[in-house]
Amino acid sequence: MARNDIKTVGKVWRIWLAVAVPLGGGLLISLLTRDAMGQFNSMEQPPLAPPAWLFPIAWTILYILMGLSSYFIWHAGHLGKKPAKKMAKVGLWFYGIQLALNFAWTIIFFNLGWYWFAFGWLIAMWIFEIAILVLAKKLSNAAFWCFIPYILWTTFAAYLNLMIAILN
């Protein structure tokens, strides 16, 4: 196998892994919160609440974009000089933390029904997302733009979470 072929395989493998991590976590959390959409539909809904069928579609797209963003951050750090390597390392740590916060939020909100606590948890997650966005902007435009839909969705999710906490 030629050197360029090995590099291409390695790159494809890293991209696949970067996307598989959030998708796999999303699949796991959906199994742990099986009745979430039924529960969501039974709640008093705020204005602008999307239909339940939209959530799995939106989250699949968001997890793919998040994974790509993490790959682009890693890649920029891997190719960059020492400051870029350090920024990428911090960005990937923040990414891992916010991913864990994201997965835990679903359990806190749906399984435990702690709507107000979940709202505070979501704000913490959002702060990490902003930090990732700032670092991504410095490292990779692709990482930045892939992460934008996720932060917009999280902002919308904060609205939904807050309104559900108020209404229920």
Side-chain angles (χ1 to χ4, degrees), residues 1-33:
M1 190 179 283
R3 183 164 163 75
N4 283 343
D5 292 340
I6 293 171
K7 280 181 151 182
T8 301
V9 168
K11 184 177 182 178
V12 169
W13 173 250
R14 285 184 198 95
I15 293 169
W16 182 88
L17 184 61
V19 171
V21 167
L23 280 174
L27 177 61
L28 176 63
I29 208 67
S30 71
L31 293 173
L32 294 173
T33 58

Side-chain angles (χ1 to χ4, degrees), residues 90-104 121 124-125 128-129 132 150:
V90 170
L92 291 173
W93 269 102
F94 285 177
Y95 174 75
I97 292 167
Q98 74 76 32
L99 202 56
L101 290 170
N102 177 309
F103 296 148
W121 193 271
M125 185 173 74
F128 276 97
E129 291 170 15
I132 293 164
Y150 176 56

Side-chain angles (χ1 to χ4, degrees), residues 31-143:
L31 293 173
L32 294 173
T33 58
R34 258 187 213 141
D35 299 326
M37 288 301 95
Q39 186 180 349
F40 181 77
N41 284 332
S42 70
M43 296 174 186
E44 184 70 29
Q45 296 292 316
L48 306 178
W53 60 263
L54 182 62
F55 287 93
I57 296 167
W59 276 111
T60 300
I61 293 166
L62 292 169
Y63 284 144
I64 291 168
L65 290 172
M66 288 166 58
L68 289 172
S69 182
S70 72
Y71 169 77
F72 292 134
I73 289 170
W74 173 85
H75 188 67
H78 182 71
L79 294 178
K81 302 224 182 299
K82 193 170 185 172
K85 287 181 190 298
K86 186 174 182 177
M87 272 194 290
K89 187 175 184 179
V90 170
L92 291 173
W93 269 102
F94 285 177
Y95 174 75
I97 292 167
Q98 74 76 32
L99 202 56
L101 290 170
N102 177 309
F103 296 148
W105 177 89
T106 309
I107 292 170
I108 293 166
F109 186 87
F110 288 107
N111 290 22
L112 300 175
W114 297 349
Y115 306 138
W116 286 104
F117 185 75
F119 179 71
W121 193 271
L122 198 143
I123 297 303
M125 185 173 74
W126 192 79
I127 290 167
F128 276 97
E129 291 170 15
I130 293 293
I132 293 164
L133 202 61
V134 168
L135 289 169
K137 182 65 176 163
K138 294 176 182 178
L139 289 167
S140 164
N141 280 333

